[in-house]
Amino acid sequence: MGAIIVVDALWGDSGKGKVAGYLSRREHASLCVRAGIGTNAGHSVYLSEQEVIRTRQLPLGFLHPSTAVAIGSGVAVDPRIFAQEVERYDLRERVTVDYRCPIITEDHIRREQESQHLSEKVGSTKSGSGMAQSDFVLRLAKQAKDCPELQPYLADVAKLANEQAQAGTIIIECSQGTFLSLALSPDYPYVTSGNCTVAAAADDVGLSWRNISGAMMVVKAVPSRVGAGPMPGEMNADEIQQRGIAEYGVVTGRLRRKAAEIPWDMLRYAALLNGPTEIALTFCDHYDPSVTGATTPEQLTQTVRELIAKVEQATGAPVTMVETGKLFEHIVDLRGAH
Ligand code: IMP
Ligand code: MG
């Protein structure tokens, strides 16, 4: 019973979408709600080598057939991207949008593209999310209820989420990462346009604290960052290529910067801010290629086991999920192993 909130510990791109999809199935969730900023986030999950699911607006809870999906009222909605994703993944009967969501217009996107500050200094994804959020704060933005094409999908998602969290389990999927939080990262202005913590995600949805039952913090075994800002232990592009772990952003196509090791002080701080009850340790195949594709605890190597122990010590929470490859099924469930 209750809501499990999925957040990222560092700079995002850790596979929160896949984790939310996996949890929707594990918990037989009735609902998976998108929290976070807007369409600046990009999720991708491989169902097979040929079939990849990519979204920027919708949460990946729909990977479980009986989970409905929704967008919380604090999330900026781009009606064009929303329509494409609903169409592509055939979600017309399973998706709702809070009627209060701020709307991203083409003008917001153009203004972000024209902003030298966002392009050159911040390294924004220029999705229009920040401009829409800023117009919302100024009380200038349109809301979902003002948008003719969103009429069939409108709902009071806050009410839905709280009621369903009282009747069963729901999943809340946040975007970006704790250290990209506007008011909590030490790296301002190299941050996004809102906070990306458990408390912020609850607020994005309108979820009462009484209805939160858990916090899944996703930790990327080889952390990455896109855009500007400090990154302790950053590898150079040659090292990234040599290790064969190059990744490109889902929204922007940019090469992701990588750190050689998890920054442990930062991870402890993320645990302090988010209060995780469990941890998903993702991209372990980038940390130790010999675990690629593992699905059982016995297949994990000593190297990965040592990393799990260090992460548990730093966060004070058990690692319950280990991701070992890019396919949806490349996950080791460690719940029985503790
Ligand atoms: P914006 O939110 O698109 O304006 O980008 C602000 C900062 O957050 C930039 O450094 C982006 O690279 C970063 N950022 C935004 N969205 C994501 C994401 O989904 N993953 C990782 N970094 C992101
Ligand atoms: Mg928010």
Side-chain angles (χ1 to χ4, degrees), residues 36-37 74-75 133 194-195 200 203-204:
I37 316 299
V75 180
Q133 292 287 2
N195 285 345
D203 183 50
D204 291 334

Side-chain angles (χ1 to χ4, degrees), residues 262-281:
I262 292 170
W264 298 101
D265 286 352
M266 295 175 74
L267 184 62
R268 276 187 283 275
Y269 194 63
L272 187 69
L273 296 182
N274 290 302
T277 54
E278 55 182 319
I279 305 287
L281 186 59

Side-chain angles (χ1 to χ4, degrees), residues 11-13 37 40-42 112 118 122-127 130 176 180 190-193 225-228 251 254:
W11 302 284
D13 303 319
I37 316 299
N40 44 356
E112 289 200 352
L118 287 177
V122 177
S124 171
T125 63
K126 292 175 278 186
S127 62
Q176 284 80 34
L180 291 171
Y190 306 112
V191 297
T192 188
S193 46
R225 180 168 196 163
V226 276
V251 180
R254 290 178 288 184

